[in-house]
Amino acid sequence: MPKKRIYTISNRLLSAIALIAVSVNATAQQNIKISELLFNPPTGGADYVELYNDSDTPVPLGTVRLAQWRGDSIAKLYELDSTYTIAAKDYCVVTTDAQFVKDSYDVHFPAKIVQVKSMPTYANTSGTVIVCMADSTIVDRLDYTSSMHSRLLKDAKGVALERRSFESATQEAGNWFSAASTAGYGTPTYANSQSREFLFEENNFAFEPDVFSPDNDGYNDLLNITYNLATEDLSANVYITDRNGRIVRHLLRGGTLGSHGIVVWDGTDDDGQRCRQGRYALTIEAFDTSGKRQTIRSTVTLVSNN
């Protein structure tokens, strides 16, 4: 009898452990995030999606799916490699042509490229990337457009779109930018060239760097305006003026601010032209639903290296 009782308890323990493991894996799957996207490859090339495991637990890639999005729903699920596991805080690149990715970009970790027979089609102008679980529960989503690339690029073909921060929302437009030219316009399998994890200032806006050079070389290409607010119902006008007080760029016009996020200036004016080197004033007019307003101003320097 004692042996039988111990055996029964052991089964219960095993069942409990199994349930905990399933729960942990499901939680980890929810932290798989889209990190980089090549949606307009050169002729003869292939798209790729880089995923990042933003959890402390390895995630079997076979538990994750890419989905084709049509209209406003999932049209088809694509299974991924069931033998591959994304390590904690690590990257994985999914593509139909691993050799193309290796030949076209500076791939630091070739073993992190997973080749699949088929994957969703990503249009060259705009589309949606969906990462989900086997039961179609959406884990991450990116609605991209070609306009998210640097406006200084003459041709975005072959240029990957990189996520800048895993702390900021995937759908935040300011959280994406073209891969730097110095990184070969793509960084599959390792940290993004335009990556920047921001430290937010409580109830305030932070501006950095004070001096930036928008030449897409991967170093201080963008002016970053980050914020962390106590309320989520603020709207704002954000604009740039030159030394004569003329508005050269509207970054936000009555745009809604979340509790935290990023607004960026790439050094171009409202017509998409590069602004001249010099000092510029940044103005933020924030207001709440009751009409209360607060104005914040700062100055930055744009340096031209061309």
Side-chain angles (χ1 to χ4, degrees):
M1 290 297 292
K3 290 184 179 180
K4 185 176 181 180
R5 185 177 182 182
I6 292 173
Y7 179 78
T8 302
I9 293 174
S10 296
N11 276 344
R12 290 177 179 175
L13 285 174
L14 289 173
S15 297
I17 291 171
L19 288 174
I20 292 172
V22 170
S23 177
V24 169
N25 285 337
T27 301
Q29 289 169 24
Q30 295 288 348
N31 284 285
I32 297 296
K33 297 179 178 180
I34 303 163
S35 172
E36 187 173 330
L37 172 66
L38 178 67
F39 59 88
N40 186 6
T43 303
D47 295 345
Y48 71 72
V49 176
E50 181 181 68
L51 304 177
Y52 179 71
N53 179 5
D54 196 20
S55 77
D56 297 320
T57 305
V59 175
L61 191 58
T63 64
V64 180
R65 304 286 188 270
L66 290 178
Q68 188 73 60
W69 188 260
R70 290 177 184 166
D72 58 355
S73 63
I74 292 175
K76 182 179 179 180
L77 294 180
Y78 291 80
E79 294 187 15
L80 305 180
D81 192 339
S82 61
T83 65
Y84 188 90
T85 296
I86 310 178
K89 304 296 182 182
D90 205 357
Y91 301 85
C92 167
V93 174
V94 179
T95 181
T96 57
D97 191 342
Q99 194 59 52
F100 157 74
V101 178
K102 295 174 186 177
D103 292 342
S104 304
Y105 300 92
D106 183 14
V107 176
H108 289 189
F109 307 101
K112 295 179 183 178
I113 299 178
V114 176
Q115 182 167 309
V116 294
K117 292 182 179 180
S118 60
M119 60 187 289
T121 301
Y122 301 116
N124 294 344
T125 54
S126 64
T128 299
V129 182
I130 298 287
V131 180
C132 62
M133 299 169 66
D135 63 358
S136 296
T137 299
I138 295 177
V139 172
D140 202 12
R141 170 176 175 168
L142 170 64
D143 296 318
Y144 69 88
T145 68
S146 57
S147 64
M148 296 167 75
H149 274 300
S150 170
R151 299 201 299 175
L152 298 176
L153 282 175
K154 293 182 180 179
D155 186 1
K157 186 177 289 292
V159 181
L161 199 62
E162 292 184 331
R163 185 181 189 134
R164 308 191 66 223
S165 171
F166 293 112
E167 294 297 322
S168 297
T170 306
Q171 292 285 48
E172 195 167 315
N175 201 19
W176 294 88
F177 201 67
S178 306
S181 59
T182 52
Y185 294 113
T187 54
T189 73
Y190 62 101
N192 294 339
S193 62
Q194 301 288 6
S195 175
R196 182 159 306 187
E197 295 300 335
F198 298 97
L199 298 176
F200 300 104
E201 295 184 6
E202 187 66 27
N203 295 324
N204 209 340
F205 291 83
F207 315 96
E208 59 88 24
D210 294 331
V211 179
F212 76 113
S213 54
D215 53 13
N216 201 40
D217 66 352
Y219 177 73
N220 288 348
D221 288 329
L222 303 170
L223 168 66
N224 304 294
I225 308 161
T226 63
Y227 58 89
N228 194 29
L229 307 172
T231 180
E232 297 184 1
D233 60 353
L234 292 183
S235 298
N237 297 317
V238 182
Y239 54 89
I240 308 293
T241 54
D242 61 17
R243 62 182 180 180
N244 297 319
R246 181 177 64 93
I247 296 178
V248 297
R249 180 72 183 276
H250 293 86
L251 300 178
L252 278 180
R253 296 188 185 186
T256 302
L257 303 178
S259 59
H260 66 270
I262 312 168
V263 180
V264 299
W265 183 36
D266 61 2
T268 61
D269 61 20
D270 281 334
D271 294 325
Q273 301 300 311
R274 186 196 301 269
C275 290
R276 294 181 179 181
Q277 177 171 294
R279 297 278 286 177
Y280 289 85
L282 166 68
T283 301
I284 299 173
E285 299 172 343
F287 46 94
D288 62 17
T289 53
S290 68
K292 293 181 180 179
R293 292 173 176 264
Q294 181 178 4
T295 301
I296 301 167
R297 291 187 176 88
S298 182
T299 57
V300 297
T301 300
L302 186 156
V303 175
S304 176
N305 292 328
N306 295 332

